[in-house]
Amino acid sequence: MLDSLIQGILLGGYYAVLAAGLSLMFGVVRFINLAHGDMAVLGALGSLWLVQSAGVGVPLAIVFTLLGMAALGWLMQRFIFERALAGGFLIPILTTIGLGAALQNGMFAAFGSDTKSLGAHIGNLSWASWELPGGIFVGQLPVYMFATAVLVLGALHLLLTRTAFGRAVRATSTDAEAASLCGVDPRKVHRWAAAIAVALAGLAGIFLAMRAQVTPFSGPMMLIFAFEAVVIGGIGSLRGTLIGGIVLGVVQALGALISPQISILAGHLVFLAVLGWRLMQVAAAERGGWRAALSAALNKPDLSRRQA
Amino acid sequence: MTPAQTLPMAAPDRWLIVLACVAILALATLPWLGSALIVDKLIYLFILVMFAVMWNLLAGYAGLVSVGQQAFIGLGGYALIRLVEAGLPPFPTIFLAALLTGIVAWAMSWFVLRMKAGEFAVATWVIAETIRSIVMFDPIVQGETGTSLLALNAYDPDLRRMVLYLLSLATMVVMVWGTWVLLQRRIGAESQAIRDDEDAAASIGISTFQVKQRIYIIASVGCALAGALWLASAITFQPRTSFGVQWSVFMLFMVLVGGIGTFIGPILGALLFFALQEIFGDFGAWYLAGIGIVAILFALYLPRGIVGLWLDNGRAEPLSLRKRLGV
């Protein structure tokens, strides 16, 4: 039980990195990249290719992958997302679903369907562990990943709160038009935000490749986990994203105590519960608090009808 | 509550409808002439048309871009499996299964329709995944393995194919015609108003939630019906296939390429998708990657699809619902 709890918390770091990119895109560029998980898989398979086929060492492969993913994010924002965003709310959703399908099947065609893992290339790190008092073993890799996650999210937080670039990002996400009046180019900000977001997806992909198996079709599930972590933690705050990731990790680890299928289902159910709770709060606030909402619900079956 | 005034139908549209009726009659006689393979393929085509028309109703007319309609495709099939297992006759049960799935859609609508566009898209997807995980716990389904609609094996294969073909054809015709009638009614104009600007629609007195809910339930029952028909033709029920997100990708492709928010677009899109699958389907993953790329290109450069190309040349939209509403 305690063992699962620790594992879940450590897993949460991975989910938080995965979710941070999605959250950044949603918060700054204002759309949900439905291919986010597939980008993570691209990062995973890209780093694997570098290590296995190009013979690059793991640390260097990680650096190359992150740089490549950042460049990809910048280019995609420049050539795809910008145009999609100009087309209203429908087009970005359609575009990124298409992108996801293209990425999944393209990677499947290029890399094949066998599951792959970086685990064999990182020496004994994939199984080494520390023993805590009480006979609990904690894997070294999950601890390093969690530490990296906290460091990366912390650095991102500092970047967003303490630097000129961060100010520009926050200004753009609050009001792009007003920001551009103050000399900030929102398109530039969006491109760099996309670069960071896709690099974060790439990092999450590398994590996944180290700790588990990757297939070209792992992406949709990763997107779902990322979205769940974002919603559970609350959109628009990196601390919330970390908390959301940890909650999701813990729920899944506890669910896994029962069965592997329950693990993922438990995550979905907690996500739906949190989302439902949020929606109810919004609905209640629109009607002047809980009491009013409750009496409105009792008197009128249609909760949603706007009050005249 | 006066019905919306509609202008008389344009002459080319009348010819189009006559042509469609002739095509339907020709299709109805086909199983007596065509080979089993062609009949099977056409059943799939009819099901694709149903998916496209239903998704267009949802996304194109009500602005509800769902990535989770596979929940209802899978549930329609699952309900069929379950009910037939309980001893009901397979063919009529297809419709019962779809209606039962409608209850799930009704329950879900209270939840999902309160969300904004992006949230709605992902949340419907998560719900589809959740339903799939739950269905996989059913001992009949046996987890990943799935199960089969064995009761259909009691029928002679040729008879079964013919019944299913005619059933699919009739369902498709009713669904397309029903959508046409529905969209010409008040709810058609209301849903398009909501799609274009929900706040403005609410401010002129449209019960936005109710309209969206009705469209959502109708589109979901339609998907469940098509899903149950698909299961009856495919026989095997595998949760990962029936609840797979690829259905959403297909629906999106057909609607987007044909022309989202137009009546005839999704039907053209389904025909094109079917043809592409026949020609390039053997390329497997590369083909599906190509489908994704074509979808991106259409979304970015031709968001109004093939019908949009037609309109760009200064021609009138065939079977337009926009112009027929003369208020």
Side-chain angles (χ1 to χ4, degrees):
Chain A
M1 182 79 181
L2 187 63
D3 196 32
S4 296
L5 202 65
I6 294 172
Q7 275 179 23
I9 292 172
L10 296 178
L11 184 62
Y14 153 68
Y15 285 144
V17 171
L18 187 60
L22 192 73
S23 177
L24 191 66
M25 283 303 266
F26 188 70
V28 180
V29 196
R30 300 269 166 212
F31 84 107
I32 295 182
N33 179 6
L34 293 175
H36 188 74
D38 303 305
M39 306 254 177
V41 174
L42 183 66
L45 293 180
S47 61
L48 268 163
W49 182 83
L50 282 173
V51 170
Q52 287 180 337
S53 301
V56 180
V58 172
L60 208 56
I62 293 176
V63 173
F64 283 157
T65 306
L66 293 182
L67 289 176
M69 293 302 285
L72 183 70
W74 195 95
L75 291 171
M76 281 200 314
Q77 177 65 32
R78 169 72 184 76
F79 292 105
I80 299 181
F81 299 154
E82 252 169 43
R83 207 185 160 90
L85 280 160
F89 76 95
L90 252 164
I91 301 298
I93 299 177
L94 303 180
T95 311
T96 53
I97 294 178
L99 187 62
L103 277 175
Q104 284 158 33
N105 293 293
M107 288 188 291
F108 174 75
F111 295 108
S113 69
D114 10 327
T115 53
K116 294 174 178 168
S117 175
L118 262 180
H121 301 277
I122 49 176
N124 66 354
L125 194 59
S126 49
W127 69 83
S129 60
W130 289 300
E131 189 182 354
L132 295 185
I136 294 170
F137 285 92
V138 177
Q140 293 188 3
L141 184 64
V143 171
Y144 287 134
M145 282 182 189
F146 186 80
T148 314
V150 173
L151 277 177
V152 167
L153 294 184
L156 192 60
H157 179 74
L158 288 179
L159 180 75
L160 290 176
T161 50
R162 298 286 158 85
T163 64
F165 171 71
R167 244 190 333 270
V169 169
R170 282 179 291 132
T172 309
S173 85
T174 314
D175 188 338
E177 227 169 288
S180 73
L181 287 175
C182 303
V184 174
D185 183 355
R187 284 184 309 174
K188 252 186 206 164
V189 170
H190 286 169
R191 286 169 199 168
W192 283 109
I196 295 174
V198 174
L200 284 170
L203 181 62
I206 294 169
F207 281 177
L208 178 71
M210 285 181 171
R211 58 173 284 269
Q213 308 280 330
V214 198
T215 80
F217 297 102
S218 308
M221 221 16 141
M222 291 181 81
L223 168 76
I224 286 178
F225 290 156
F227 188 71
E228 286 176 347
V230 170
V231 168
I232 292 172
I235 290 168
S237 115
L238 283 172
R239 197 174 46 193
T241 305
L242 184 61
I243 293 170
I246 290 173
V247 170
L248 184 65
V250 168
V251 167
Q252 287 190 350
L254 292 181
L257 286 174
I258 309 170
S259 90
Q261 286 161 353
I262 299 260
S263 164
I264 291 174
L265 181 60
H268 292 340
L269 292 177
V270 167
F271 156 77
L272 291 173
V274 171
L275 193 58
W277 169 253
R278 291 260 160 78
L279 293 171
M280 272 162 66
Q281 275 186 323
V282 171
E286 276 176 5
R287 290 174 182 73
W290 274 110
R291 257 170 230 284
L294 198 63
S295 66
L298 292 176
N299 297 330
K300 241 197 305 182
D302 181 10
L303 248 174
S304 73
R305 198 176 283 161
R306 274 153 205 273
Q307 289 197 325
Chain B
M1 283 276 181
T2 50
Q5 295 290 311
T6 50
L7 301 172
M9 187 179 275
D13 284 0
R14 269 182 246 165
W15 281 111
L16 208 58
I17 288 173
V18 170
L19 204 69
C21 290
V22 172
I24 291 161
L25 285 177
L27 282 171
T29 57
L30 190 119
W32 282 273
L33 308 168
S35 71
L37 184 70
I38 292 179
V39 170
D40 273 340
K41 283 194 189 301
L42 284 176
I43 293 176
Y44 186 57
L45 173 64
F46 299 156
I47 290 167
L48 285 179
V49 171
M50 293 183 224
F51 283 150
V53 170
M54 286 300 113
W55 201 76
N56 183 45
L57 179 66
L58 196 63
Y61 282 102
L64 297 166
V65 185
S66 168
V67 192
Q69 287 303 93
Q70 65 269 24
F72 306 113
I73 298 173
L75 270 180
Y78 173 67
L80 178 61
I81 292 267
R82 259 293 173 188
L83 291 171
V84 168
E85 191 77 19
L88 292 177
F91 290 115
T93 306
I94 291 174
F95 299 95
L96 182 63
L99 287 179
L100 284 180
T101 307
I103 298 174
V104 178
W106 173 80
M108 268 175 63
S109 68
W110 295 102
F111 180 63
V112 295
L113 292 178
R114 292 175 196 285
M115 294 173 208
K116 303 241 178 319
E119 263 184 350
F120 175 80
V122 191
T124 49
W125 188 359
V126 175
I127 291 173
E129 283 294 310
T130 311
I131 293 174
R132 178 179 62 81
S133 318
I134 294 170
V135 164
M136 275 163 64
F137 284 113
D138 186 331
I140 290 183
V141 177
Q142 310 169 62
E144 301 273 352
T145 324
T147 182
S148 298
L149 201 58
L150 290 175
L152 279 180
N153 287 346
Y155 297 83
D156 170 56
D158 287 329
L159 177 72
R160 186 180 76 203
R161 187 174 293 114
M162 189 176 293
V163 171
L164 202 58
Y165 177 87
L166 294 175
L167 216 52
S168 303
L169 178 64
T171 311
M172 177 189 73
V173 171
V174 169
M175 224 181 256
V176 172
W177 177 74
T179 311
W180 172 253
V181 171
L182 181 81
L183 287 173
Q184 285 195 352
R185 296 174 70 106
R186 188 188 177 90
I187 192 172
E190 284 177 336
S191 64
Q192 290 178 71
I194 294 170
R195 173 199 65 193
D196 293 338
D197 189 336
E198 186 160 351
D199 289 333
S203 76
I204 55 167
I206 295 173
S207 313
T208 55
F209 188 86
Q210 250 178 25
V211 171
K212 287 197 290 184
Q213 191 179 33
R214 278 183 198 151
I215 299 271
Y216 183 73
I217 293 171
I218 292 168
S220 302
V221 170
C223 274
L225 190 49
L229 282 166
W230 180 75
L231 179 67
S233 73
I235 306 274
T236 349
F237 176 80
Q238 279 178 313
R240 282 214 190 269
T241 317
S242 281
F243 286 96
V245 73
Q246 86 277 359
W247 292 119
S248 279
V249 176
F250 292 170
M251 288 191 257
L252 172 146
F253 180 86
M254 294 185 284
V255 173
L256 183 64
V257 168
I260 191 166
T262 63
F263 186 77
I264 203 163
I267 301 171
L268 291 178
L271 287 169
L272 183 78
F273 180 69
F274 179 75
L276 286 176
Q277 201 153 30
E278 286 305 307
I279 301 167
F280 299 110
D282 293 339
F283 290 94
W286 286 118
Y287 156 72
L288 289 168
I291 289 285
I293 290 169
V294 172
I296 299 173
L297 292 176
F298 265 90
L300 293 182
Y301 296 99
L302 213 58
R304 290 186 305 157
I306 299 172
V307 173
L309 272 182
W310 174 265
L311 295 180
D312 283 342
N313 289 333
R315 281 175 283 227
E317 182 190 331
L319 297 177
S320 172
L321 286 153
R322 221 171 291 236
K323 289 198 176 149
R324 287 185 50 73
L325 278 169
V327 180

